[in-house]
Amino acid sequence: MRHNVLVVALCVASPSAAERVNLDGFSIDRSEVTIGAFASFADRAGLVTKAEKNGGGFEWGAGWERRAGWNYTSPQGLPAPENEPAVHISWAEAQAFCEDAGGRLPTREEWAAAAYTEQRESPTSGFERGRTYIYPVGDQPEGMNNNRKHQVEIATTKQGVNGLYDMGANVWEWLSDRQGEDALTAGGSWWYGPNATRVEGMQWKPATFYAVYVGFRCAY
């Protein structure tokens, strides 16, 4: 029988299979947490997400509208490939996954350092060590999955700063930073334009919120 997410912390931790990138003082997942990875965690932890319990996640229409049957396995109502990002996940559900993997949600400072400032000793794709870029993919926004109709599988867009994927667009990512009942998200999503992927584009959202545009990755 599945249980509420609050019980997850009692489960035995299992390392995440996600590839990690080592940066200055922390590491971070190279890509967003996938449907497959989250499904394995949910099955093992007995977790039923809020989107599943409440009949579906949200999409913007005439305001925020619940879409029946939309959840992390079926982001837009139909089953999706396991390598697409897990969305329709609340902040607490994302944090529970990261803790189970031996990590946590990244802070704003960590996420920004990873997304915009190249730290590798030998950068690839023309990036320069020590340089801070406007977008997570460089000085220009080309190559990100934004202004589109849906998310795409991880590591299929342009590889960005520090060799990371989709720090800009594809899906918004929950951060650890809280402001009362709200939590910070970063990176923009497939539905937004390039400006949302810049550091000043970060947005506060209710921590209990879950929508087709919001996923996450973990830091360690």
Side-chain angles (χ1 to χ4, degrees):
M1 182 176 70
R2 290 187 171 187
H3 302 284
N4 188 279
V5 66
L6 296 177
V7 181
V8 169
L10 300 178
C11 298
V12 178
S14 174
S16 170
E19 183 182 358
R20 303 172 187 177
V21 174
N22 295 319
L23 300 173
D24 186 13
F26 70 103
S27 61
I28 193 167
D29 290 341
R30 188 178 297 277
S31 300
E32 293 157 338
V33 172
T34 64
I35 291 170
F38 195 87
S40 294
F41 161 70
D43 287 345
R44 180 165 42 79
L47 169 65
V48 181
T49 63
K50 289 182 179 296
E52 293 173 288
K53 290 178 181 178
N54 296 329
F58 290 92
E59 181 191 30
W60 183 260
W64 289 110
E65 300 175 350
R66 190 183 301 278
R67 303 299 187 205
W70 289 29
N71 55 57
Y72 73 91
T73 62
S74 302
Q76 292 182 307
L78 296 172
E82 288 193 344
N83 272 346
E84 286 190 10
V87 294
H88 299 295
I89 303 296
S90 71
W91 184 92
E93 292 162 351
Q95 177 70 358
F97 175 97
C98 291
E99 288 178 355
D100 183 80
R104 53 185 169 73
L105 292 172
T107 66
R108 181 191 185 282
E109 289 74 19
E110 289 171 339
W111 198 96
Y116 306 107
T117 301
E118 179 60 59
Q119 301 176 43
R120 291 175 291 179
E121 291 288 345
S122 301
T124 58
S125 304
F127 291 108
E128 300 175 17
R129 177 173 167 80
R131 184 174 172 188
T132 298
Y133 292 87
I134 298 172
Y135 301 98
V137 291
D139 289 324
Q140 301 299 323
E142 286 76 22
M144 298 183 291
N145 182 41
N146 55 16
N147 287 329
R148 305 292 173 85
K149 295 183 178 180
H150 54 78
Q151 63 186 31
V152 296
E153 294 186 42
I154 64 166
T156 59
T157 57
K158 181 180 178 181
Q159 192 174 38
V161 174
N162 292 311
L164 300 170
Y165 286 99
D166 295 316
M167 294 293 274
N170 214 16
V171 298
W172 287 99
E173 299 180 13
W174 288 116
L175 304 184
S176 65
D177 299 60
R178 294 291 299 268
Q179 184 172 277
E181 297 300 313
D182 295 336
L184 194 59
T185 60
S189 80
W190 51 266
W191 191 77
Y192 289 74
N195 284 343
T197 71
R198 299 173 63 161
V199 67
E200 61 269 26
M202 294 183 182
Q203 293 184 3
W204 294 97
K205 297 178 174 66
T208 55
F209 186 60
Y210 43 91
V212 68
Y213 314 105
V214 188
F216 69 102
R217 77 181 71 210
C218 305
Y220 311 84

